[in-house]
Amino acid sequence: MKVNDLLFLDRCCDLARLGGAAVSPNPRVGAVLVYQGRIIGEGFHQQAGGAHAEVECVRSVQQEDRPLIPKATLYVSLEPCCFHGRTPACTSLIQEQGIKEVVIGQIDQTAEVSGKGISILTSAGVNVRSYPAHKGCQQVARERQVFATEKRPFVQLKYAQSADGFLAPLENTTYWISSPQSRILTHRWRSRSGAILVGAKTVIQDNPQLNSRLYPGPDPLRIVVDPKGQCSGKELVFQEQSSNAPTLWLRPDAAIESTADQLEIIDLSKRLPSNEYWGKGLLKFLFAILHQRELHQLTVEGGAAILRLFLEAGQWDEILRFTNPQKYFGAGVEAPSLTRLSGTQPDGQHIRGAVTAPEVQKIGGDILEVFYPRS
């Protein structure tokens, strides 16, 4: 392990994070060219169908430094692609530029790559080093890896709770728990997510728009899970003026007619048996839809039943929990219990539970905790 390798891979991750939802369905990737400890070029993937990080990196090298490219080391957060899709293979670019040393953070788990990029480079005489345990590279590649290996989007659960563990007070009213700063951060996450999902009860009670209006960026695809057909179709989430993104409405029939161009009603009665409108059967069906649409990330924002559905099925990858330490409800809608998920099921199978939060931050007046599944 070389200290400089880790340093420059960290820089690759910083660059990769600049790529937002516009890169989907491609992964976020950053690349750096280094000659004798000096960065002579860097770049990141900015938009699907556009130049990859390696191409942007080589393009950025100043004219006086271009003779140094064959002598430089290329650092990239994810294994270079080795097939011609909408853009040429990056392995070909590396060989054309005469680069003899490449350091990568993660092996791309997609079937078209999955080590083939490394094999092509090493066969061409390129010295390749990889750091699969590099946390930053794991982080920026996580959506790609989950999508490739589990055939579903990376699932992020997000919710806010009172200091005594409630999602909402007992009275049936819309109630802001989190601070204005936390809400802006939530909208930033939305702008980087492919899709956002809520249940019918949240739509009826809160009438959310589910857009990213508090932060510049694209709105996510909006998904409403309504297995009992409780929504009227007049709520804001179904209206075109509330978002530039479409809405998927999963309901038990297609009886409601709508003139909204961006509203797509999915009739569950034609897709699933009635006993699978809720539970693992519904999630499997939902994931198949999102995988087909090449959506790599799904943010689930509630309510309580929807959150528990994903938790109890073990179909989640990250939990973002805001707690307002100043608000106490005493009673109301209980937040999901994460400690309950750490035991075993009656058949002895381990429940995919939450580990100790690897990071705790203060956002405005709130405490943000990030949880990951127990491996």
Side-chain angles (χ1 to χ4, degrees):
M1 178 183 295
K2 295 185 178 182
V3 175
N4 281 350
D5 282 357
L6 303 184
L7 176 67
F8 292 122
L9 283 176
D10 286 343
R11 178 57 182 164
C12 289
C13 295
D14 291 340
L15 292 165
R17 293 186 186 99
L18 297 175
V23 306
S24 183
N26 294 345
R28 291 178 293 161
V29 182
V32 174
L33 259 176
V34 179
Y35 175 73
Q36 293 186 352
R38 178 171 68 92
I39 293 177
I40 62 172
E42 59 182 27
F44 65 97
H45 186 41
Q46 300 177 30
Q47 185 170 358
H52 286 190
E54 296 91 330
V55 177
E56 293 284 7
C57 179
V58 170
R59 283 178 180 172
S60 74
V61 178
Q62 296 297 309
Q63 191 62 38
E64 61 269 24
D65 285 334
R66 299 200 71 82
L68 302 177
I69 293 176
K71 305 173 187 178
T73 300
L74 174 66
Y75 292 85
V76 60
S77 60
L78 187 68
E79 179 181 10
C81 65
C82 54
F83 63 95
H84 195 301
R86 283 186 280 185
T87 58
C90 290
T91 50
S92 299
L93 170 73
I94 293 168
Q95 294 176 70
E96 290 165 4
Q97 294 295 322
I99 298 170
K100 297 299 181 185
E101 189 168 54
V102 175
V103 179
I104 68 170
Q106 296 289 292
I107 294 175
D108 189 342
Q109 297 297 326
T110 54
E112 297 91 341
V113 188
S114 191
K116 298 183 183 74
I118 293 176
S119 179
I120 289 171
L121 292 176
T122 54
S123 296
V126 179
N127 177 27
V128 180
R129 297 191 298 277
S130 62
Y131 291 89
H134 189 278
K135 295 296 183 184
C137 292
Q138 289 177 353
Q139 188 81 2
V140 296
R142 61 187 189 173
E143 291 90 355
R144 172 75 157 197
Q145 308 295 45
V146 168
F147 188 82
T149 58
E150 300 192 30
K151 309 303 180 191
R152 65 166 177 81
F154 181 93
V155 177
Q156 184 181 71
L157 309 183
K158 195 282 297 181
Y159 63 95
Q161 64 177 14
S162 62
D164 50 352
F166 293 97
L167 296 176
L170 197 57
E171 61 271 17
N172 188 17
T173 58
T174 300
Y175 194 95
W176 287 111
I177 295 177
S178 57
S179 66
Q181 294 92 332
S182 296
R183 293 197 289 276
I184 291 172
L185 179 57
T186 294
H187 282 233
R188 180 189 177 194
W189 290 335
R190 286 181 181 178
S191 73
R192 299 170 69 87
S193 183
I196 182 170
L197 181 147
V198 296
K201 200 167 185 180
T202 295
V203 171
I204 294 168
Q205 291 182 355
D206 298 344
N207 198 20
Q209 298 181 63
L210 301 182
N211 56 28
S212 57
R213 62 193 178 278
L214 300 182
Y215 191 87
D219 292 334
L221 169 72
R222 301 174 296 178
I223 304 171
V224 177
V225 177
D226 184 16
K228 296 180 181 178
Q230 296 171 287
C231 297
S232 68
K234 298 179 181 180
E235 295 86 357
L236 286 173
V237 72
F238 302 115
Q239 307 306 314
E240 289 184 337
Q241 64 268 27
S242 65
S243 175
N244 294 318
T247 298
L248 295 185
W249 186 4
L250 279 66
R251 52 174 293 117
D253 55 59
I256 291 183
E257 295 184 2
S258 173
T259 57
D261 292 336
Q262 296 196 101
L263 175 61
E264 181 179 345
I265 298 175
I266 295 182
D267 185 351
L268 293 177
S269 69
K270 295 181 179 179
R271 307 290 190 93
L272 293 171
S274 58
N275 63 348
E276 291 187 8
Y277 286 5
W278 192 259
K280 290 185 176 181
L282 174 65
L283 293 185
K284 183 178 180 181
F285 171 66
L286 174 66
F287 290 155
I289 293 174
L290 298 183
H291 189 268
Q292 184 178 23
R293 296 177 186 225
E294 295 189 305
L295 290 169
H296 286 203
Q297 181 172 330
L298 170 66
T299 300
V300 180
E301 291 201 9
I306 286 286
L307 290 167
R308 292 191 182 98
L309 170 62
F310 281 86
L311 284 166
E312 291 170 5
Q315 298 296 317
W316 62 278
D317 302 287
E318 181 179 62
I319 298 172
L320 302 163
R321 183 174 74 182
F322 290 99
T323 301
N324 188 320
Q326 304 302 319
K327 292 183 179 177
Y328 292 83
F329 294 158
V333 180
E334 290 186 10
S337 171
L338 303 185
T339 55
R340 244 181 243 168
L341 299 174
S342 299
T344 56
Q345 296 172 327
D347 60 4
Q349 295 294 313
H350 184 73
I351 298 175
R352 199 179 191 205
V355 300
T356 304
E359 183 179 355
V360 179
Q361 302 176 51
K362 188 171 183 180
I363 309 293
D366 303 326
I367 302 300
L368 170 62
E369 298 169 284
V370 184
F371 297 87
Y372 295 98
R374 189 187 305 278
S375 298

